[in-house]
Amino acid sequence: MENNDFDSELLQSVTHGELKTDDVISLIKAFLEDDPSSSYSLVIGTDSHEKKYSGKGGSSINLVTAILVHRRGYGGKYFWKKKELSNIHSLREKIYAETFESLAFASTFVPLLKKNLNGESPSYNLEIHIDVGEHGDTRDMIKEVVGMVTGNGFVAKTKPGAYGASSVADRHT
């Protein structure tokens, strides 16, 4: 995705409504700078739900990517964006699509955030939350998708600790 496309991409917020990427970065920066001595987490996670086409027999998935900034012990803010993707035919393809979407978002968003922070704000732990866990149909995929995330230089979290994907993004699918 080109940076210009990313800059004009719209995200949603329960508190602030529809926002451009630059506005989200400004809000996260202000939140981090509000209490520089606190401990922060920045979380990116994607979830999806299948959407059936009536009468056509086809389907697609609605992908929702959430970005959360959490001040430990004091709550946080989150934002999300939606995207529709077709030609997803299996659980494996769905989990890969979610993981790729989180990685694509993180690889563009995080450098923009760092550029805007200029090393002036508190540090934060960055995590990519993946909607897979030890219990259920996705357990055989954990090593694969965690490897994809860590291979791209990010920390991966899976269920039950993957609240960015399994709770927050899921709420908006």
Side-chain angles (χ1 to χ4, degrees), residues 134-153:
E134 291 291 338
H135 306 289
D137 296 337
T138 60
R139 68 182 168 277
D140 295 334
M141 298 181 62
I142 292 174
K143 286 183 182 177
E144 295 170 47
V145 291
V146 167
M148 287 168 41
V149 171
T150 57
N152 279 279

Side-chain angles (χ1 to χ4, degrees), residues 25-40 69 113-125:
I25 287 172
S26 295
L27 288 167
I28 290 175
K29 180 180 181 195
F31 186 74
L32 292 169
E33 291 174 342
D34 186 47
D35 187 358
S37 62
S38 285
S39 180
Y40 293 92
V69 59
L113 178 62
K114 285 181 178 178
K115 179 181 173 187
N116 279 276
L117 293 175
N118 288 329
E120 301 293 319
S121 291
S123 61
Y124 51 84
N125 296 318

Side-chain angles (χ1 to χ4, degrees), residues 25-120:
I25 287 172
S26 295
L27 288 167
I28 290 175
K29 180 180 181 195
F31 186 74
L32 292 169
E33 291 174 342
D34 186 47
D35 187 358
S37 62
S38 285
S39 180
Y40 293 92
S41 290
L42 186 68
V43 173
I44 296 170
T46 302
D47 192 29
S48 65
H49 282 284
E50 190 173 8
K51 181 176 149 182
K52 301 262 186 210
Y53 298 127
S54 59
K56 295 181 185 174
S59 66
S60 66
I61 59 171
N62 280 327
L63 286 167
V64 173
T65 301
I67 179 156
L68 302 77
V69 59
H70 177 240
R71 185 181 300 145
R72 298 223 174 109
Y74 296 98
K77 294 181 177 286
Y78 78 93
F79 310 89
W80 75 93
K81 69 180 194 76
K82 287 187 177 189
K83 177 180 181 179
E84 189 172 315
L85 195 60
S86 57
N87 295 322
I88 302 296
H89 304 288
S90 68
L91 178 61
R92 179 173 299 280
E93 289 176 351
K94 179 181 172 222
I95 297 298
Y96 269 56
E98 292 172 5
T99 305
F100 285 140
E101 192 64 27
S102 289
L103 287 171
F105 184 82
S107 66
T108 307
F109 186 86
V110 173
L112 288 174
L113 178 62
K114 285 181 178 178
K115 179 181 173 187
N116 279 276
L117 293 175
N118 288 329
E120 301 293 319

